[in-house]
């Protein structure tokens, strides 16, 4: 499918000569008489490149480029400005408005076609790299979500395994331990001797791979082993 070029110029002769040459070069060409009409055609046709005059009624080329660039989808759309104005300040204004190339009139159609080919090739490379980067980021995002889901599942399995490995009495000791009870207090609460309570605490330290009571409490709260 041929690439589409929008040619904008209020001079019919220029508009037709540029359009005919580009069509013979294999492009699909659409035309507009001024900037306002061109802006509507950009929205309707999504051209691959714009060639526009600057001095036009309704809306000039500078304003057309600025309005096009305000739309995120057209920020990378190549634009060539054509004009008889060749002062440095005017060329600077053209680039500040967002054009890619400033071609003074009179110009050779062959030179214009060469500039168009160059800009389109560069635009296609940039868009291709953007699509590749987007797919790559999407893949990373999907992988990250999958990893998060895997980690979440692993955590749930680990939590379930820990719960099932604790005896009813160990669970009771752990609950009281997280509330700051001493061995004597826990023994009194559970009708156990302090020595027996200490054995349960040691068993909990071993099952949770923690080295002291403070670590055990933090572990239990982090992994949801206590209410």
């Amino acid at each position: 499918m041929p690439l589409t070029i929008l040619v904008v110029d209020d001079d019919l002769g220029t508009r037709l000569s540029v359009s005919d040459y580009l069509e013979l070069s294999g492009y699909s060409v659409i035309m507009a008489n001024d900037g306002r009409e061109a802006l509507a055609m950009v929205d309707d046709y999504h051209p691959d490149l714009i060639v526009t005059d600057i001095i036009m009624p309704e809306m000039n080329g500078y304003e057309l480029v600025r309005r096009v660039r305000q739309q995120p989808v057209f920020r990378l759309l190549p634009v060539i400005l054509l004009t008889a104005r060749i002062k440095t300040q005017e060329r600077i204004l053209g680039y500040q408005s967002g054009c890619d190339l400033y071609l003074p009139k009179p110009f050779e159609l062959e030179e214009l076609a060469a500039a168009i080919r160059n800009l389109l090739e560069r635009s296609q490379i940039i868009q291709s790299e953007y699509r590749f980067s987007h797919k790559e980021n999407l893949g990373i995002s999907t992988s990250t979500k999958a990893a998060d889901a895997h980690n979440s599942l692993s955590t749930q399995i680990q939590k379930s395994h820990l719960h099932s490995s604790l005896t009813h009495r160990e669970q009771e000791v752990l609950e009281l331990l997280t509330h700051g009870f001493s061995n004597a207090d826990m023994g009194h609460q559970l009708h156990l001797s302090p020595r027996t309570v200490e054995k349960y605490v040691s068993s909990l330290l071993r099952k949770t791979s923690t080295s002291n009571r403070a670590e055990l409490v933090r572990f239990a709260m982090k992994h949801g082993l206590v209410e």
Side-chain angles (χ1 to χ4, degrees), residues 164-200:
S164 63
S165 69
L166 300 183
T167 66
H168 177 69
R169 187 64 79 182
E170 286 173 340
Q171 188 67 51
E172 289 180 325
V173 170
L174 187 58
E175 287 283 351
L176 295 175
L177 192 63
T178 58
H179 287 85
F181 281 57
S182 66
N183 283 3
D185 292 333
M186 286 189 284
H188 179 73
Q189 186 84 9
L190 301 173
H191 307 289
L192 299 172
S193 69
R195 184 182 296 275
T196 302
V197 171
E198 184 59 36
K199 287 182 179 179
Y200 282 120

Side-chain angles (χ1 to χ4, degrees), residues 33-37 56-60 63:
N33 186 57
D34 57 59
R36 191 176 300 281
E37 182 182 353
M56 298 180 293
E58 299 295 331
M59 181 187 296
N60 64 35
E63 181 63 19

